[in-house]
Amino acid sequence: MPGPAYKGTVRWESAKPIMEALRTDKFPEGFADHYVISVSGIPLNPGQRQQQQNQDDDSNQRSQQTLLDQIKAQTYLAPKDKRDAQPGIVTQQGSIYGNVLFGFSKDVLALKPEDKEVTFSTVFGRTPIKTKFVFKDMLYHGELSV
């Protein structure tokens, strides 16, 4: 029997037009020189709410970090015809439906307009999330904005 359906958003947070629209140029510590992609509106783990009620703050933070580490291990940014990369940093902001930020090092993965597209994929609990970003749609003032 299928589980609940969620409607979430996957956004390339470090794209210049997004940063200008949100009037921000800062991410949490450690995200400098990273491509930043966010996922929001989807719980990390559907059973998490009940677990949180039954744990103290310290235990809750440890289980949250374990969950983020599991998600990190299942997350990839895959340019077409190139080797994929995993995020170096994963953090969560807000509630269980809050933004999860994924940071992919620009030193490990240098994206260029010639790459044409890149696929972001991850898994939250049993919920697979996959989004294709087409670079011709990500041009801003004639330049690739990632």
Side-chain angles (χ1 to χ4, degrees):
M1 187 156 145
Y6 299 101
K7 186 173 182 173
T9 302
V10 178
R11 182 168 60 194
W12 202 295
E13 294 286 336
S14 57
K16 193 168 187 172
I18 299 296
M19 294 178 69
E20 286 179 2
L22 298 175
R23 297 179 185 210
T24 185
D25 60 352
K26 296 192 180 200
F27 290 106
E29 186 176 331
F31 280 90
D33 299 320
H34 284 72
Y35 304 112
V36 182
I37 296 175
S38 70
V39 176
S40 60
I42 302 171
L44 294 178
N45 183 354
Q48 183 179 13
R49 181 174 291 169
Q50 183 62 38
Q51 290 174 0
Q52 284 181 339
Q53 292 173 352
N54 297 329
Q55 295 177 350
D56 61 34
D57 286 343
D58 209 28
S59 178
N60 188 25
Q61 286 179 347
R62 282 194 303 273
S63 67
Q64 186 74 7
Q65 188 57 51
T66 299
L67 187 57
L68 289 173
D69 289 343
Q70 291 169 351
I71 290 169
K72 180 179 175 182
Q74 298 179 70
T75 302
Y76 298 91
L77 193 58
K80 188 175 183 178
D81 301 326
K82 277 189 178 178
R83 186 179 175 135
D84 57 8
Q86 288 189 279
I89 304 167
V90 178
T91 64
Q92 183 182 19
Q93 299 176 320
S95 69
I96 64 169
Y97 293 95
N99 277 347
V100 178
L101 298 176
F102 297 87
F104 296 87
S105 173
K106 292 180 180 179
D107 292 335
V108 173
L109 184 64
L111 298 175
K112 300 176 184 158
E114 300 83 46
D115 294 326
K116 297 189 181 185
E117 64 185 44
V118 65
T119 302
F120 170 81
S121 61
T122 190
V123 179
F124 283 14
R126 294 184 186 166
T127 306
I129 301 164
K130 192 171 188 176
T131 302
K132 185 183 292 186
F133 293 95
V134 179
F135 286 172
K136 71 178 182 177
D137 298 333
M138 297 179 68
L139 297 177
Y140 185 65
H141 298 299
E143 294 183 10
L144 179 62
S145 181
V146 291

